[in-house]
Amino acid sequence: MADRTVHVWGARTPTARGSAWPERVDVHLDGVREDEVDRWVGAACVLCSNGCGCEIAVKDGRMVGVRGRAADRVNRGRLGPKGLYGSTPWASSPDRLTTPLVREDGRLVETDWDTAMGRIVERSRALLDEKGPLSHGFYTSGQLFLEEYYTLAVIGKAGLGTPHMDGNTRLCTATAGASLKESFGADGQPASYDDIEQCDALFLFGHNMPETQTVLWARILDRIEGSEPPRVVCVDPRRTEVAVAAGRTGGVHLAPRVGTNLALMNALTRELLAHEWLDADWVEAHTVGLEELRATVEPYTPEEAARTCGVDADDVRRAARIFGESGAVLSTVLQGFYQSHQATAAACGVNNLHLLRGMLGRPGCGVLQMNGQPTAQNTRETGADGDLTGFRNWENAAHVEELARLWNVDPMTIPHWAPPTHAMQIFGYAETGSIGLLWISATNPAVSMPESPRIRRILGGDQCFVVVQDLFLTETAALADVVLPAAGWGEKTGTFTNADRTVHLAEKAVDPPGEARSDLDIFLTYADAMGLTDRDGSPLVGWRTPEEAYDAWVEASRGRPCDYSGITYDLLRERGAVQWPLGTTRLYADAEFPTSTDYCEDYGHDLATGATTTEQQHRATAAAGRAFLKAAAYSPPHEEPSEDYPLIFTTGRVVHQFHTRTKTGRSRRLHHAAPDPWVELSEADARALGIADGQRVRVESPRGSLEAPARIGPVTEGAVFAPFHYAGAGQANELTMTVWDPVSKQPTFKTAACRVVPLEGD
Ligand SMILES: Nc1nc2c(c(=O)[nH]1)N[C@H]1C(S)=C(S)[C@@H](COP(=O)(O)OP(=O)(O)OC[C@H]3O[C@@H](n4cnc5c(=O)[nH]c(N)nc54)[C@H](O)[C@@H]3O)O[C@H]1N2
Ligand SMILES: Nc1nc2c(c(=O)[nH]1)N[C@H]1C(S)=C(S)[C@@H](COP(=O)(O)OP(=O)(O)OC[C@H]3O[C@@H](n4cnc5c(=O)[nH]c(N)nc54)[C@H](O)[C@@H]3O)O[C@H]1N2
Ligand code: SF4
Ligand SMILES: [Mo]
């Protein structure tokens, strides 16, 4: 097979509008032939939210490669470079954690499970006795399995009763969840990947899909190569492959100044309204808020957007016309919106465009408020991110009581007296020591959270006892008091849900190394050791196996928007990939939204300030099944360029690396394809600063700096782009800011002021 680190999307299988995406099975094996493989084990890839169905090759008790599943609705057999080359090499890496570690005289030393868990339980009990449940914080992931999150959520909410639980999903897709709640009443992706074959136009908002969901992009490329291709519109300050496709398809590349998305969205909305590109009857019947929306966007003429965003006014008109005149539009939204300024308001702006044209729930029409991590959807569904389990509303007493009955605990145990604590706040409490035990699972905040110098101080200080549960001794684990060795993908069984509500079962293929245990087993061990019980004195967590945990979750989801009823392990084994709710390709086909006050997941917020809407105010909207058109005025980013820091710093990803590289950095091919950090500058800025391509530079913000070679590239003038994958001297988060969106509380990784200093001698 071709080197897929170079031929990222593989060979084209052109697809005409309305026809099925053809199969193409991608395989990669490390040093064995296909006929030498002992077993193939069913799974799906966990290196992004696309969730490509695959099988794991096992030879002599080791994972030796992967093969795409031809029948899978998500990928029809395809896998991208990360999936092919990054799925298995890490598992047999010699530096896997194989025993627990505890800190003795300042050093981490190997120990057994009883000792390690004993230390955690001792600290946990002491803190509960002395300070109560608010002394405990949990910071989990978008990379565990649904069963593990659900178990953690029950331990935290019904066992300990702490509101301090969140996932790194706060850094990732909190805005996806928030914008879906604000517009439609509950989380859950309206669209289906099948819409790609049905749409006439594709809008990608702050989404570099060619590098970050490569198989989904291959699907779009196949449409572009087929008959009746869709037009592509790209909203990204860099000239990404999406922008190139916009050029090829007669679409538009809008390159807004970093941090100005909302001004652009308001202008696009104003254009739709001004040209009456709307389905007036549908809007009247199925939405509330049109007049407020009209008033809010009125000042945002294309010329105003041109001034604020630095785009061409005619390009705004052209993009709006494509949205307004296409028969079916599919939009995707990701980090260029979620991690930028006014994130939730800008993401809701995309929902608004679809609501205005009644383009939801129909073939080719819909919004994918994308996820990034493979299992982020499940963190949100189960409530391991602090949301109330099953898309319930923590402010609705009936929802809390429903869970209290299910878990057989006092409703007062379940935290619901204040909003759940978001990750940025959890780290703030750990900083002061008011959280005295912080348990981190499957995430590496020492590299991935904003303002790393501060995060290192928090994790390394004595004010808080830190537990880290990971596959490797990461930068974060190295600062912990107890390190627990976890089993990873392929070494345990569990389910997860991708960005179009497709559920997969990933089965255990091999044993974990040494004494590593599944995260489910680790959480169960803690629940047992703490003696967590329900109201009748029975064990609070009544399940032992992944399937039992899953079945318990299905009960918790019943009757809620994310209803998993009928989706069993057996069905997942039989069909491979199943969307929730069972039999539902698209949400809202009936234009009935989960916005009634008694059913919705959230009463909503003011998008500009984050002020919450009360239950009474929500009732007064009488939305009752209609969606909300919500908007806000644009305001400038928190930190704007100044004389000292004249450029804007923004960050993101490259195709060959995944996050802090714990997996992809251990794949020989992926590592060599992108081994080192770099920073991207526009030609004009490089010239003005006297910086040559490849020259080493230092990028400085008021918080810190990084050093890396410069690349002169397609970023807009005035902006500097750095990948955030690389720990150490090139670590992007040394520069980023501790600020977050007022509604989703997602940190702003994509806007900070910076200056670039050329270094000698390179
Ligand atoms: N190869 C690879 N793939 C991945 C991952 C990975 O680490 N590596 N991670 C996965 C995860 S968890 C996630 S969340 C997704 C993220 O997937 P994406 O959101 O596609 O990735 P990013 O590179 O973070 O950001 C996307 C784009 O935002 C643009 N951008 C920056 N600032 C702004 C702005 O102010 N406005 C606009 N409109 N755009 C802006 C950047 O130029 C960048 O091209 O990728 C998933 N897939
Ligand atoms: N500047 C900047 N910063 C960013 C972003 C950005 O665009 N710019 N993006 C943000 C986003 S969207 C995200 S998602 C985060 C990602 O940031 P992190 O969550 O820190 O990313 P990973 O490196 O994937 O960390 C996951 C950890 O889990 C471990 N792991 C994997 N599988 C398992 C398992 O089954 N069990 C256990 N216990 N451990 C496991 C891995 O070894 C790894 O250490 O970064 C955020 N930070
Ligand atoms: S697109 Fe995502 S899920 Fe699919 S193979 Fe690539 S990394 Fe894995
Ligand atoms: Mo993410």
Side-chain angles (χ1 to χ4, degrees), residues 172 335 372-373 653:
C172 179
Q335 301 308 357
Q373 292 174 93
R653 298 165 160 74

Coordinates of all heavy atoms in Angstrom, one line a residue, residues 172 335 372-373 653, ligand 4:
C172 N -12.3 20.8 24.5 CA -12.4 20.2 23.2 C -13.8 20.4 22.6 O -13.9 21.2 21.6 CB -12.2 18.7 23.4 SG -12.3 17.6 21.9
Q335 N -12.7 23.5 16.1 CA -11.9 24.3 17.0 C -11.6 25.8 16.6 O -11.4 26.6 17.5 CB -10.6 23.6 17.4 CG -10.8 22.3 18.1 CD -11.7 22.2 19.2 OE1 -12.2 23.2 19.7 NE2 -11.9 21.0 19.7
G372 N -14.1 16.1 18.7 CA -12.7 16.0 18.3 C -12.2 14.6 18.7 O -11.7 13.8 18.0
Q373 N -12.3 14.4 20.1 CA -11.8 13.1 20.6 C -12.8 12.0 20.3 O -14.1 12.3 20.2 CB -11.6 13.3 22.1 CG -10.5 14.2 22.5 CD -10.4 14.4 24.0 OE1 -9.7 13.7 24.7 NE2 -11.2 15.3 24.5
R653 N -3.5 21.7 15.0 CA -3.0 20.4 14.8 C -2.3 20.1 13.5 O -2.5 20.9 12.5 CB -4.2 19.4 14.9 CG -4.8 19.5 16.2 CD -6.2 18.9 16.2 NE -6.5 18.6 17.6 CZ -6.9 19.5 18.5 NH1 -7.0 20.7 18.1 NH2 -7.1 19.2 19.7
Ligands
MO4 MO -10.3 17.9 21.2

